[in-house]
């Protein structure tokens, strides 16, 4: 049996896991930093990297303990080194290198975006490749042609905010806590998704596999403070009834979901592909999951969405390292972090 330790510190979750070559999870721990970033309404990179430093050893210890193994039982150490926040990536990579030196084990690099799609394979125990992959997270809203788990070609993505970023920013305007996705989803449960018809940008351009959420964000802002006004939206929101906030949240969520569902169908039609895999924190959204499932059924598309715990950042999806292990793709100990670069192979 091959056992790989996977390390994930790309953004604001410190996570490690031990995975076997049959994709069995022996142990997995995720330490969330949500509370630390809450008062800022978004991730503060400096705070994130410091918290990773504090968390990484305890999280690692707990994972190894849960896995019931010794560090010396590991066959390799894998770490997400792209894309992400530079300081956060460095903490994970440094920990991985130290373990590799101390244990004399090989080092494997994980592409965080590829890992988000691989979460579907882990969850379904079925090979979804080749497929169209849509990664919708705090930093990305991108389509890929995924020929294999390790061979992705970019097809297009957002031209401004990522979908998760839009959720986080609109939540801040409405006075809802960070992370914005779950708090908007919760507020939206009591709201009317058709109360406001917010814009669904670029859906009328089926050939263009792109998203734009800045117009939607502005529309919410105008609903709160009106055009040309400088008042902080959150101050106006504080004076609104709970039902009004719920209606804005639900209408905003519906607009994002319609864009994600609509563009996914356009991507499948354009490429002629029949399989869609979704990954990233926004894929945890129940309204999105429900609407994309309906659309996939109507279009006769094979749909893979990982369970909610594997959509938001975790180290289990780092099981993609098994693919690299089998392909003999190991890294030298001077491996670097690539915050913005997506290293494909
Ligand atoms: O994949 P992820 O955990 O981290 C990144 O790689 O960015 O995604 C985090 C993003 C945040 O913007 C968060 O608000 C959003 O995913 N998110 C959601 C939900 N859960 C997390 N967005 C909508 N609905 C959710 N239930
Ligand atoms: Zn992520």
């Amino acid at each position: 049996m091959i056992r790989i330790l996977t390390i994930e510190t790309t953004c604001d979750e410190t996570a490690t896991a031990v995975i076997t070559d049959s994709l069995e999870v022996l142990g997995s721990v995720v330490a969330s930093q949500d509370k630390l970033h809450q008062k800022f309404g978004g991730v503060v990179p400096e705070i994130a990297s410091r918290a990773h430093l504090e968390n990484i050893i305890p999280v690692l210890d707990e994972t190894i303990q849960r896995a019931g193994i010794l560090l010396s039982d590991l066959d390799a150490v894998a770490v997400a080194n792209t894309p992400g926040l530079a300081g956060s990536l460095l903490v994970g990579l440094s920990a991985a290198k130290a373990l590799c030196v101390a244990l004399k084990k090989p080092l494997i690099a994980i592409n965080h975006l590829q890992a988000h799609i691989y979460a579907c394979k882990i969850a379904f125990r079925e090979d979804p490749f080749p497929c169209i992959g849509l990664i919708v997270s705090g930093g990305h809203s991108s389509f890929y042609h995924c020929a294999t788990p390790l061979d992705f070609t970019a097809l297009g993505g957002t031209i401004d905010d990522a979908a998760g970023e839009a959720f986080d920013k609109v939540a801040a305007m409405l006075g809802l806590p960070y992370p914005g996705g779950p708090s908007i989803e919760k507020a939206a449960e009591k709201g009317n998704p058709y109360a406001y018809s917010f814009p669904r940008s670029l859906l009328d351009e089926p050939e263009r596999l792109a998203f734009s959420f800045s117009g939607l964000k502005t529309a919410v802002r105008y609903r709160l403070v009106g055009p040309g006004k400088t008042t902080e939206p959150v101050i106006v929101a504080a004076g609104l009834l709970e039902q009004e906030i719920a209606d804005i949240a639900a209408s905003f969520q519906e607009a994002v979901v319609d864009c994600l569902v609509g563009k996914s169908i356009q991507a499948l039609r354009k490429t002629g592909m029949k399989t869609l895999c979704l990954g990233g924190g926004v894929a945890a959204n129940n309204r999105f999951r429900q609407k994309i499932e309906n659309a996939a059924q109507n279009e006769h598309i094979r749909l893979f969405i990982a369970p909610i715990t594997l959509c938001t950042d975790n180290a289990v999806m780092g099981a993609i390292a098994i693919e690299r292990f089998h392909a003999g793709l190991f890294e030298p100990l001077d491996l670097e972090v690539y915050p913005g670069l997506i290293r494909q192979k």
Side-chain angles (χ1 to χ4, degrees):
M1 187 207 299
I2 292 161
R3 282 171 284 219
I4 298 184
L5 173 73
T6 58
I7 302 178
E8 155 61 44
T9 61
T10 60
C11 189
D12 63 340
E13 258 88 33
T14 317
T16 60
V18 177
I19 320 282
T20 72
D21 49 343
S22 51
L23 299 184
E24 192 190 348
V25 182
L26 298 184
S28 163
V29 176
V30 181
S32 162
Q33 301 177 7
D34 285 351
K35 286 211 170 63
L36 292 178
H37 301 287
Q38 224 151 42
K39 68 176 165 200
F40 305 100
V43 179
V44 182
E46 272 303 310
I47 293 177
S49 51
R50 279 159 207 253
H52 283 307
L53 264 181
E54 284 170 18
N55 291 341
I56 188 77
I57 303 290
V59 165
L60 179 62
D61 279 345
E62 176 77 22
T63 303
I64 295 295
Q65 207 180 337
R66 284 193 197 174
I69 61 163
L70 300 171
L71 279 173
S72 55
D73 294 330
L74 293 170
D75 295 282
V77 178
V79 60
N81 72 326
T82 189
L85 301 170
S88 295
L89 289 165
L90 270 174
V91 176
L93 181 60
S94 306
K97 286 180 181 178
L99 284 165
C100 287
V101 171
L103 302 169
K104 298 189 175 61
K105 304 289 178 187
L107 176 65
I108 298 176
I110 295 170
N111 176 319
H112 179 76
L113 299 186
Q114 291 178 343
H116 266 306
I117 295 300
Y118 201 76
C120 293
K121 174 163 174 172
I122 302 163
F124 286 83
R125 296 298 180 115
E126 200 183 314
D127 202 342
F129 302 95
C131 63
I132 294 297
L134 170 62
I135 296 136
V136 270
S137 67
H140 298 268
S141 296
S142 317
F143 284 110
Y144 289 89
H145 176 269
C146 315
T148 71
L150 301 176
D151 185 2
F152 282 29
T153 306
L155 298 176
T158 184
I159 56 171
D160 39 57
D161 286 353
E165 193 180 355
F167 269 99
D168 294 337
K169 288 178 177 169
V170 166
M173 284 191 221
L174 294 175
L176 300 171
Y178 175 84
S183 48
I184 286 195
E185 180 170 3
K186 189 156 182 291
E189 278 169 16
K190 294 189 192 127
N192 172 7
Y194 310 110
Y196 300 100
S197 71
F198 290 136
R200 277 101 166 127
S201 301
L202 304 179
L203 279 186
D204 55 351
E205 295 182 52
E207 286 304 304
R208 202 168 155 205
L209 299 183
F211 297 106
S212 169
F213 296 111
S214 69
L216 173 58
K217 233 173 37 188
T218 306
V220 174
R221 189 188 163 83
Y222 283 181
R223 162 64 194 82
L224 290 167
V225 299
K229 303 255 174 63
T230 52
T231 324
E232 281 299 320
V234 67
I235 295 173
V236 178
L240 294 181
L241 293 173
E242 202 182 324
Q243 185 59 49
E244 193 60 24
I245 297 284
D247 285 346
I248 298 172
S251 302
F252 162 79
Q253 175 177 265
E254 198 71 7
V256 176
V257 167
D258 284 349
C259 292
L260 299 179
V261 173
K263 274 292 160 201
S264 297
I265 300 305
Q266 289 173 5
L268 290 155
R269 286 188 188 153
K270 184 175 176 185
T271 56
M273 300 284 289
K274 292 280 169 213
T275 307
L276 176 66
C277 279
L278 303 178
V282 182
N285 184 279
N286 287 302
R287 185 74 177 157
F288 178 37
R289 296 169 81 94
Q290 183 192 16
K291 287 193 101 169
I292 194 82
E293 263 160 33
N294 292 345
Q297 237 166 33
N298 291 340
E299 297 275 327
H300 305 289
I301 294 302
R302 232 168 38 122
L303 175 68
F304 292 82
I305 326 178
I308 287 170
T309 49
L310 290 189
C311 288
T312 48
D313 285 348
N314 64 86
V316 170
M317 65 193 194
I320 192 174
I322 296 286
E323 304 279 343
R324 296 183 78 90
F325 186 95
H326 287 315
L329 295 170
F330 301 107
E331 307 298 327
L333 284 175
D334 62 355
L335 178 70
E336 290 181 37
V337 298
Y338 299 90
L341 255 183
I342 301 157
R343 228 165 43 101
Q344 301 290 358
K345 289 183 199 174

